Amino acid sequence: MNTIILATDGSSHSDDAARYLADGPLLNRDFLVHVVHCEPDVTGEVKAFIGQADIDAWHHEESGKAMQSVVDILRAGKVGFECHELTGHTPDKIVEHAAKVGAAAIVMGSHHRGPFLDALLGSVCARVVAQAPCPVLLI
């Protein structure tokens, strides 16, 4: 069975990627989806005032909200999945998780902001494509 990473940020673009996995005619059903969501770590100033347990609870809550819609789509499509909450620099964490589980592919929904905004703001998709240890499918 192949492992596919589905990176989600809670957007409709991520939902489109989940629908592709659930309904896509190009893929067979011999895969397990690792749904991943990454929250950036908080700064040292925040950590000085808020305990680690509260920070962990916030990360868990935010990841749960971001993953909920894709989980619902995969469940309705009878696609096997696991959820993984990551913390840190999003592109690096997605690539690290893909390498760790020996992913056959990474699937992501692209926001299509355009080259100027991507150059200005940076693109998670572009960074994942550049660093991924496996093929990346942008929906």
Side-chain angles (χ1 to χ4, degrees), residues 6-124:
L6 173 58
T8 182
D9 60 2
S11 70
S12 62
H13 306 287
S14 296
D15 292 351
D16 291 341
R19 280 189 205 89
Y20 182 83
L21 290 176
D23 304 332
L26 294 178
L27 301 174
N28 65 34
R29 290 303 183 110
D30 186 29
F31 57 82
L32 174 69
V33 176
H34 283 233
V35 178
V36 299
H37 175 261
C38 188
E39 280 291 324
D41 204 1
V42 296
T43 65
E45 291 90 18
V46 172
K47 289 180 180 181
F49 294 100
I50 299 175
Q52 190 62 46
D54 290 332
I55 293 169
D56 292 344
W58 178 79
H59 281 140
H60 177 70
E61 181 180 342
E62 292 301 307
S63 286
K65 287 190 278 188
M67 290 189 280
Q68 187 61 56
S69 60
V70 298
V71 163
D72 292 343
I73 292 165
L74 295 174
R75 188 173 285 130
K78 297 182 176 31
V79 175
F81 66 90
E82 299 175 357
C83 292
H84 301 272
E85 301 170 0
L86 309 175
T87 304
H89 186 248
T90 301
D92 294 343
K93 292 298 179 177
I94 292 169
V95 168
E96 285 172 17
H97 190 78
K100 177 179 152 186
V101 301
I106 300 170
V107 178
M108 303 174 71
S110 176
H111 287 259
H112 306 294
R113 289 189 304 226
F116 177 73
L117 282 177
D118 280 347
L120 193 63
L121 302 173
S123 167
V124 171

